[in-house]
Amino acid sequence: MPNVLFSLMLLGALCSHGHSMSREEKRKLKNQVVEMFDHAYKNYMDHAYPADELMPLTCRGRVRGLEPSRGDVDDALGKFSLTLIDTLDTLVLLNKTTEFEAAVRRVLSDVRLDNDIVVSVFETNIRVLGGLLGGHSMAVMLRDEGQHMQWYQDELLHMAKDLGLRLLPAFNTSSGLPYPRVNLKHGVRGPETRTGTETETCTACAGTIILEFAALSRFTGDPVFEAHARRAMDFLWEKRQRNSNLVGTTINIHSGEWVRRDSGVGAGIDSYYEYLLKAYVLLGDDQFLQRFNIHYASIMKYISQPPLLLDVHIHKPLLPARTWMDSLLAFFPGLQVLKGDIRPAIETHEMLYQVTKKHNFLPEAFTTDFRVHWAQHPLRPEFAESTYFLYKATGDAYYLEAGRTILDNLNRFARVPCGFAAMKDVRTGSHEDRMDSFFLAEMFKYLFLLFAEADDLLFDIEDYVFTTEAHLLPLSLSMAPQSSSVPSNRTVIVQPEVELDDFDWTCPNTRLLFTDPAFPNNLREPIRSAVDKSCPRPLPYRCVHKQASPGVASVVSTFPHGVVTAFREPGIGRPPLRAQDFMANNPEHLELLRRMGVSLIHLKDGRVQLVQHATQAVSAVAAEDGVRFMQEMMELSSQQQKEQLPPRAIQIVSHPFFGRVVLTAGPAQFGTDLSKSSTGVRGFVTVAEPYSGCSEITNAEYVRGHIALLQRGQCMFAEKARNIQKAGAIGGIVIDDNEGSSSDTAPLFQMAGDGRSTDDVTLPVLFLFHKEGKILLEALKEYREVEVLLSDKARDRGVDVQEAEEGCLTEATTPTSSEPAGESQMSTVELDEAVAGEAAPSHEGVGPAGEDAGPAEKMSASEAEGGPAEAEAAAAQPDRSPEAKEKPEGGANSQSVDELLADWQEDLEAFKQMEKDEL
């Protein structure tokens, strides 16, 4: 059956419902999209090229190996000018043919693909191979028109084939599923190059190859690429769960066993479903549509709970796997449009739109009651993609307004002098020094097409299919010869018998679906009301954020300030040391801890760790006092959770930043409460002398009326605040002295006092990690006069608009497990002068010593430099895996603890998977 029937879903707007947008308004918005693209692209070329990506806050390129490693995320970078290649076909779509021609020449002259570097097969395929093929498609189209690219002789295609051959060694597995990584120069060599030793990959990683590889085969006439991609798709289909017809998230590439058996349409699986349907569109192979329809029926039966899309277990599809959704599922309404299932697409898109309006952007993950689960937003384009496809299918001008919202939020909150910066926290508006290549490859394509008229385009967009990276592949490839299969020693897959009548072979007529102009709005209205009811806008100073820190079950809290009184020696009969009185810089306290079997370890990141070995106490009574002390620490943490403060914002408002650079800052428990200030505190910054701020300020004439910059260490935070306040400062910013620290990798500090009243401190003081502090110091060094705004959240950035809507915050508990206390029990406590205010999980209670020692990991907090602040207490376990623990007896509480642990581990794995694959 000709696949062109399916391309009907890409036709222009068929009808219009609701308030229309004038052609002139659309033209202005289209021009705004082009201006924004120019801002991003020009800054990449001026400040980053030939690096892979732009770092928009520091105005330089991100070169792998020269910047601090971000872990698996950096596997997308291969020293092949990633952003330029990813942007090639965007240039043509936006009518920038001269720039396109220059960009192609740059790629041909500058880019090398034989670098000795390990890259992600998935990312390199969709971004680089897809970018080269999309660029080739555009170059051929322009050449055939006779006005541009007359010199072009398929050079980009030759590069694409070279890259395809470099990716092929990854497919050398018994299953046909590719290794997740490959060395561009040496292939899969083994552990010395960090390749060939992996045993698992995500479903989307293996199932998002077919479009690019099949296009490469049909462009070049070499069938090997399409054959390998088909073999991987066949294996995934064979390994689906036969009862539910769902696939898991992670699979063993050798055995085919599912490693993670949760199933959804977001991270780890998303583009596998997308490529099944689009492979049918591009290649005309009915088998892909049959498989997609079988999967889609199961998705709508088990995962879709309109307007929600919730992960389930593949073996128990009626059992939800989690209570939150990740932002990558925002592509799914667009895929439903391509499928022709418009109603659920409208419903899910409306839910996503309301969440976007609550938080300005889609948080990386959000709960079923639409609160923030993970606060990052790396400028993902999936919501814009679905907005475009829904407008194309319905013609409803409502989606043009949704597109306008996307534009406004990008300009208000993400735009910085050197491009557009990813959002580190959608609640505060703080930035991350990151502008991924997909922002240029995808976001501006979909937004331009949303507002453009047919005569604004150089070619007919209906003649092309979008890859998952929005690269353009011509539908004419369906006429090219198909590849033969590669030899295989595994069993041939027998397709299940299907009734052809069960499948839709053409798209529905939206004129029939939308005979009532009010129909789309009738679907949207109840969802809009549900989001408003579930996630009302809270007052800023009443919002609390609690979330478990990745990788460790922890409790971080603020302790009440106490004064040291008389203490007895442990075991002598006088009152023991109490947790609420403990001060880490008090020698008497440290001696008492030593006698209780507690020792201090200074960590590299500036924290102090308390480790308790009950067997090292001077007596059994002292050991009991030590256990009680650790329990008190945790109980105090639990009592103080509600006092946690949310992160604050430091916004650089002077030239040339104009409020577009926002740094995430930790709050203080003393001084001005910025959440109760409608204007914040604004002033120019100056470095205090001495920089530590631990003695009288010697440059008071410069500090007076300014916001003082201070270095962490040598004395208490409150002492620093008093000294700069005495010098006449209007605020203070304490910068971490631990080089390399960043709010990217550490929980935010909440600065505590010094064990006595801090009512005399009346100015605001905020804390910056070293990385964020360096941005501020570099700005001061370059521009001399730097003005900042200290506030509870970022204000509008250089535009006259209403204040951003306040997003809802999330609460999540920390999983714990119970185990009886014994003589060999060891407890660990980590201390610092600050409290992690952003990641502040709640905690289960503790039973008396000798009965149930409570959670296996106990945490509490205290001030490392003299005052109560942060601590973590943990009882060591010989095996902390959930499989190794026997389920405790005793009913509901123990069961709930196990459930929390399972949920937390699952969330952590999902987060790591998203960061690992950047899907």
Side-chain angles (χ1 to χ4, degrees):
M1 179 168 295
N3 65 10
V4 293
L5 291 177
F6 217 86
S7 67
L8 290 175
M9 289 312 302
L10 301 178
L11 291 176
L14 300 175
C15 52
S16 180
H17 310 291
H19 301 291
S20 62
M21 179 179 287
S22 69
R23 189 181 180 96
E24 178 61 20
E25 259 188 299
K26 289 180 64 178
R27 186 187 67 81
K28 289 180 179 179
L29 291 171
K30 179 200 70 176
N31 291 340
Q32 186 178 0
V33 173
V34 175
E35 185 279 328
M36 293 167 65
F37 170 83
D38 288 341
H39 178 66
Y41 180 70
K42 184 177 186 300
N43 274 287
Y44 166 73
M45 296 303 296
D46 289 348
H47 298 293
Y49 182 82
D52 284 316
E53 290 181 345
L54 170 68
M55 299 173 68
L57 297 184
T58 51
C59 301
R60 67 179 191 272
R62 184 181 296 281
V63 179
R64 191 168 172 188
L66 298 183
E67 297 295 330
S69 174
R70 299 177 298 171
D72 293 339
V73 175
D74 283 339
D75 286 342
L77 312 180
K79 297 182 180 179
F80 35 36
S81 301
L82 173 63
T83 297
L84 182 62
I85 292 177
D86 221 358
T87 309
L88 288 176
D89 51 6
T90 307
L91 289 167
V92 179
L93 186 70
L94 272 59
N95 300 316
K96 296 182 176 295
T97 52
T98 302
E99 291 90 336
F100 172 73
E101 192 158 355
V104 172
R105 292 186 183 275
R106 283 182 180 270
V107 170
L108 298 181
S109 63
D110 299 346
V111 174
R112 294 176 57 95
L113 298 174
D114 60 349
N115 301 312
D116 185 6
I117 192 169
V118 176
V119 296
S120 162
V121 173
F122 167 78
E123 296 289 0
T124 305
N125 174 68
I126 66 171
R127 298 201 207 188
V128 186
L129 182 57
L132 292 171
L133 292 173
H136 170 69
S137 299
M138 295 294 98
V140 170
M141 180 271 297
L142 292 173
R143 184 184 63 189
D144 292 347
E145 289 187 350
Q147 293 185 358
H148 302 277
M149 302 296 293
Q150 296 304 297
W151 55 270
Y152 181 70
Q153 296 183 359
D154 298 344
E155 289 90 346
L156 291 177
L157 180 60
H158 299 326
M159 288 186 68
K161 184 173 182 180
D162 179 24
L163 180 59
L165 291 172
R166 295 179 185 279
L167 296 179
L168 277 183
F171 291 81
N172 187 24
T173 62
S174 58
S175 66
L177 300 179
Y179 285 100
R181 299 178 187 86
V182 68
N183 187 297
L184 288 177
K185 187 173 185 177
H186 302 293
V188 179
R189 293 181 55 192
E192 68 274 10
T193 56
R194 200 162 58 90
T195 59
T197 60
E198 302 93 338
T199 60
E200 60 191 58
T201 190
C202 72
T203 300
C205 300
T208 311
I209 306 288
I210 184 65
L211 291 190
E212 291 82 3
F213 269 40
L216 182 57
S217 282
R218 299 192 180 202
F219 272 133
T220 62
D222 187 343
V224 66
F225 306 105
E226 181 174 349
H228 278 290
R230 282 178 176 266
R231 184 182 177 203
M233 294 290 274
D234 289 345
F235 191 82
L236 289 174
W237 170 252
E238 182 184 21
K239 291 300 179 179
R240 76 192 186 283
Q241 211 289 322
R242 298 304 176 99
N243 292 323
S244 65
N245 280 314
L246 296 173
V247 291
T249 302
T250 306
I251 190 171
N252 186 296
I253 60 176
H254 303 297
S255 68
E257 294 294 322
W258 291 110
V259 180
R260 281 184 51 199
R261 300 181 179 185
D262 49 314
S263 183
V265 296
I269 302 180
D270 49 0
S271 47
Y272 162 68
Y273 293 134
E274 178 185 4
Y275 270 38
L276 276 175
L277 182 55
K278 289 184 176 180
Y280 166 69
V281 176
L282 180 66
L283 307 177
D285 187 336
D286 295 350
Q287 184 183 74
F288 289 118
L289 181 60
Q290 293 173 4
R291 293 177 180 180
F292 173 80
N293 279 328
I294 291 172
H295 281 314
Y296 186 78
S298 293
I299 290 170
M300 299 309 293
K301 181 177 181 180
Y302 300 118
I303 295 171
S304 177
Q305 302 179 32
L308 308 180
L309 293 163
L310 295 178
D311 286 17
V312 299
H313 296 279
I314 58 175
H315 293 90
K316 297 180 180 179
L318 298 178
L319 181 64
R322 59 174 61 105
T323 58
W324 51 269
M325 296 166 279
D326 65 73
S327 62
L328 288 169
L329 60 76
F331 90 101
F332 197 67
L335 189 65
Q336 289 179 305
V337 169
L338 195 61
K339 158 70 176 172
D341 201 358
I342 307 297
R343 178 172 184 142
I346 291 175
E347 293 172 333
T348 297
H349 180 277
E350 181 63 20
M351 177 270 293
L352 296 168
Y353 187 27
Q354 294 306 314
V355 173
T356 297
K357 292 203 286 188
K358 289 289 180 186
H359 306 298
N360 300 320
F361 299 96
L362 272 182
E364 196 73 329
F366 52 94
T367 61
T368 53
D369 58 353
F370 316 114
R371 301 174 184 270
V372 172
H373 187 67
W374 296 330
Q376 308 97 315
H377 175 76
L379 306 183
R380 294 199 185 277
E382 286 78 13
F383 178 67
E385 175 185 356
S386 288
T387 302
Y388 162 66
F389 281 114
L390 269 169
Y391 177 66
K392 294 289 286 185
T394 67
D396 192 341
Y398 180 83
Y399 298 109
L400 297 176
E401 294 299 332
R404 189 205 301 266
T405 299
I406 297 171
L407 287 182
D408 290 345
N409 288 344
L410 285 172
N411 276 320
R412 288 173 61 192
F413 302 111
R415 188 165 181 149
V416 295
C418 287
F420 291 84
M423 308 306 296
K424 180 183 295 183
D425 192 318
V426 298
R427 298 160 303 179
T428 65
S430 58
H431 289 136
E432 188 175 354
D433 201 3
R434 169 182 180 182
M435 188 179 82
D436 290 83
S437 67
F438 56 67
F439 182 62
L440 287 165
E442 300 183 66
M443 181 70 81
F444 294 111
K445 277 197 187 84
Y446 292 124
L447 291 176
F448 181 83
L449 288 170
L450 179 64
F451 299 115
E453 303 291 345
D455 53 10
D456 293 323
L457 304 177
L458 294 175
F459 56 93
D460 188 352
I461 195 66
E462 315 303 340
D463 292 339
Y464 295 83
V465 65
F466 288 105
T467 69
T468 194
E469 190 79 1
H471 292 306
L472 297 166
L473 299 178
L475 292 173
S476 58
L477 289 175
S478 63
M479 307 299 182
Q482 295 188 23
S483 67
S484 60
S485 60
V486 294
S488 173
N489 58 4
R490 62 184 178 84
T491 305
V492 176
I493 299 174
V494 179
Q495 299 301 327
E497 295 183 3
V498 292
E499 295 294 334
L500 297 184
D501 293 340
D502 292 341
F503 300 104
D504 296 324
W505 294 95
T506 59
C507 302
N509 188 331
T510 51
R511 294 184 186 276
L512 299 178
L513 286 175
F514 296 96
T515 54
D516 178 6
F519 177 69
N521 190 60
N522 291 340
L523 295 179
R524 293 191 291 257
E525 186 58 39
I527 297 170
R528 187 179 305 124
S529 301
V531 175
D532 287 335
K533 182 178 180 180
S534 297
C535 186
R537 263 175 257 162
L539 295 175
Y541 58 86
R542 290 183 180 175
C543 283
V544 178
H545 174 71
K546 299 179 180 179
Q547 182 174 346
S549 303
V552 60
S554 63
V555 168
V556 188
S557 67
T558 304
F559 290 104
H561 307 306
V563 180
V564 178
T565 57
F567 299 101
R568 63 139 180 161
E569 182 174 350
I572 302 301
R574 295 168 59 190
L577 174 62
R578 306 307 300 269
Q580 64 263 33
D581 298 322
F582 174 69
M583 299 178 72
N585 66 343
N586 187 307
E588 184 178 0
H589 293 190
L590 300 181
E591 174 61 19
L592 290 172
L593 290 184
R594 184 190 67 80
R595 299 185 68 83
M596 291 188 293
V598 179
S599 58
L600 274 75
I601 300 174
H602 293 273
L603 304 178
K604 292 181 179 180
D605 60 4
R607 291 182 297 170
V608 176
Q609 185 180 61
L610 291 180
V611 181
Q612 188 214 14
H613 296 270
T615 56
Q616 295 180 7
V618 297
S619 67
V621 175
E624 291 180 6
D625 286 344
V627 172
R628 187 177 298 109
F629 174 83
M630 303 298 282
Q631 292 171 347
E632 287 179 355
M633 281 288 196
M634 192 182 65
E635 289 168 358
L636 284 172
S637 298
S638 179
Q639 294 168 9
Q640 296 296 321
Q641 287 305 308
K642 293 182 181 180
E643 296 184 14
Q644 290 302 317
L645 300 175
R648 304 299 189 214
I650 296 177
Q651 191 169 5
I652 307 179
V653 296
S654 55
H655 173 82
F657 306 98
F658 300 118
R660 299 190 186 281
V661 173
V662 183
L663 307 173
T664 298
Q669 294 177 331
F670 51 84
T672 302
D673 186 351
L674 292 171
S675 69
K676 298 181 180 179
S677 171
S678 60
T679 59
V681 174
R682 180 168 178 161
F684 289 91
V685 298
T686 188
V687 178
E689 295 179 4
Y691 190 24
S692 67
C694 292
S695 59
E696 184 176 351
I697 303 302
T698 58
N699 63 335
E701 67 275 17
Y702 297 106
V703 170
R704 187 175 301 109
H706 288 67
I707 295 173
L709 301 182
L710 306 157
Q711 187 177 46
R712 176 189 178 193
Q714 302 183 32
C715 66
M716 302 298 298
F717 291 124
E719 184 178 347
K720 299 175 190 287
R722 291 188 180 98
N723 286 332
I724 61 171
Q725 180 173 286
K726 183 178 179 181
I730 61 174
I733 299 173
V734 179
I735 298 175
D736 193 8
D737 60 345
N738 181 29
E739 187 167 353
S741 65
S742 168
S743 59
D744 292 335
T745 56
L748 283 182
F749 276 175
Q750 178 170 304
M751 295 181 288
D754 56 1
R756 58 192 178 94
S757 173
T758 53
D759 292 343
D760 58 316
V761 180
T762 58
L763 80 174
V765 183
L766 298 180
F767 179 90
L768 285 179
F769 280 105
H770 184 269
K771 180 180 177 182
E772 288 77 13
K774 187 176 181 181
I775 293 175
L776 187 56
L777 291 172
E778 289 294 327
L780 182 61
K781 179 180 178 181
E782 183 170 353
Y783 299 105
R784 295 186 178 274
E785 290 190 348
V786 174
E787 189 178 15
V788 301
L789 174 66
L790 312 183
S791 59
D792 63 324
K793 63 178 181 178
R795 308 301 180 187
D796 290 330
R797 296 129 196 241
V799 290
D800 185 18
V801 291
Q802 294 180 346
E803 185 173 70
E805 293 183 333
E806 174 67 24
C808 295
L809 305 185
T810 185
E811 295 190 6
T813 57
T814 299
T816 59
S817 58
S818 299
E819 183 164 329
E823 293 183 0
S824 61
Q825 177 184 10
M826 182 188 76
S827 297
T828 306
V829 181
E830 292 181 2
L831 311 174
D832 204 301
E833 62 181 349
V835 175
E838 183 181 23
S842 61
H843 208 288
E844 298 291 329
V846 188
E851 297 176 11
D852 185 354
E857 297 191 356
K858 305 175 183 177
M859 289 139 217
S860 47
S862 185
E863 174 66 69
E865 297 180 25
E870 173 186 70
E872 302 173 1
Q877 303 295 338
D879 187 344
R880 293 171 54 186
S881 65
E883 293 83 358
K885 292 183 179 290
E886 295 183 3
K887 185 173 294 186
E889 298 179 2
N893 185 55
S894 297
Q895 180 63 34
S896 65
V897 167
D898 287 344
E899 291 173 353
L900 285 171
L901 180 59
D903 290 344
W904 174 74
Q905 288 179 329
E906 189 172 86
D907 288 2
L908 177 59
E909 289 175 0
F911 177 79
K912 288 180 177 178
Q913 190 69 38
M914 291 178 71
E915 286 299 310
K916 178 178 178 181
D917 298 310
E918 282 293 301
L919 298 178

